[in-house]
Amino acid sequence: MTEQQLSLSTESAAPEKPAPARPTVSLGARLVHAVGTGNLSLIGALAVIVAIFGWLNPGYLDPKNLAGIGEAVTVFGLLAVVQTVVIICGALDISVGSQAGVASVVSAMAFTSASGNAFVGILAAVGVGLVLGLVNGVIIVYGRVNPVIATLATLAAYKGVAQLISGGKAQGFVLDNDVFIFLARGKIAGLPVPVLILALVALAVHCLLKYTDIGRNIYAIGGNDTAARLSGININKYLIAVYVLAGAVAAIAGIILTARTGSGQPVSGSEGLELKAITAAALGGCALKGGKGTVGGTLLAVVLLGALDNGLNVVGVNTFWQNVAQGSLLVAAVVIQQRRSGERAVGLPT
């Protein structure tokens, strides 16, 4: 037998090496991966808040109070969900609260002008919201204005519009209308209608971001706008569309605000909502530079903020402390993001 034949017979006789075993992943690790470490932190913080306020005042855990928290967060929750989309796209909309105020006034005034037709008021408010969002997008894209500066300007402008058309006071009375009563106090399968509206909008936005090419392109624009442009994505079109979406959802929030308060509110019901929306999005894991964030994380942060506000009220803490808490949480969220990103802190040596 030749040396080559002997080598071949030896190789054929050698036993095959077993394939390396795949590492097993525990059920707990899978759950952590599915939920996300950031969301787990929010859930833990929420559990601590509920436990503390429940201990300080047992009435906090009353089912009616818990349901009230859900209804209370609906308006700014809607704004936070759409703010998530704007931030993921690498922009910011500081004017969403003022847009909700304009929509609230328009819905009540159109309702009154149409002899009590609620659907006219609702359609008019949504139409105005679309226009306001379009104005924001056009200013940013074609005026080449930084989104923060542009929407800071329209925050003041839209607030002025709401005050001008309403004379600076609440307009209309809608609590004698069945549609607005249903929007404010109705229930479906035991769940308040405002909460269901928030859930439906959040689900629609989640599916848009996670399961469509549009959503993937929005993440791409926020992550690296230069690469997105070179890959053929029309960034201008997407930015305008995102701001139009923000205006439409802000209008829905304004309509719910009108239904809950019974009249169109130019400022009192909508002032400060933009800060809450941005805080919730940042706490929920949205990177303020864009390209990162989820609707689920934002919703958890919305519930967390609502539970905190309600708890402070239940235990009799001065309501001004709520603003302090919101500002502190926003700073904490940004600091955590900065540390995780590993970027050099401003003004400090590398």
Side-chain angles (χ1 to χ4, degrees), residues 176-190:
D176 57 354
N177 180 268
D178 292 339
V179 175
F180 279 106
I181 292 174
F182 179 72
L183 289 175
R185 301 184 181 87
K187 291 187 177 182
I188 297 177

Side-chain angles (χ1 to χ4, degrees), residues 98-137:
S98 293
Q99 291 180 63
V102 175
S104 176
V105 171
V106 168
S107 66
M109 294 180 70
F111 166 80
T112 303
S113 300
S115 302
N117 190 323
F119 295 104
V120 171
I122 292 171
L123 290 175
V126 173
V128 167
L130 291 172
V131 171
L132 297 180
L134 178 63
V135 170
N136 278 346

Side-chain angles (χ1 to χ4, degrees), residues 202-278:
L203 179 62
V205 172
H206 169 75
C207 292
L208 173 73
L209 291 174
K210 190 173 179 67
Y211 300 112
T212 68
D213 290 337
I214 294 174
R216 285 185 280 273
N217 290 342
I218 289 174
Y219 277 103
I221 293 170
N224 189 327
D225 59 346
T226 302
R229 184 180 291 107
L230 293 175
S231 67
I233 299 174
N234 189 330
I235 295 178
N236 290 346
K237 180 179 71 175
Y238 271 88
L239 273 175
I240 291 176
V242 163
Y243 277 99
V244 170
L245 174 64
V249 176
I252 295 173
I255 292 166
I256 294 177
L257 179 63
T258 299
R260 289 183 57 194
T261 59
S263 58
Q265 301 293 328
V267 175
S268 61
S270 58
E271 193 167 20
L273 291 178
E274 56 281 331
L275 174 62
K276 281 189 172 183
I278 295 171

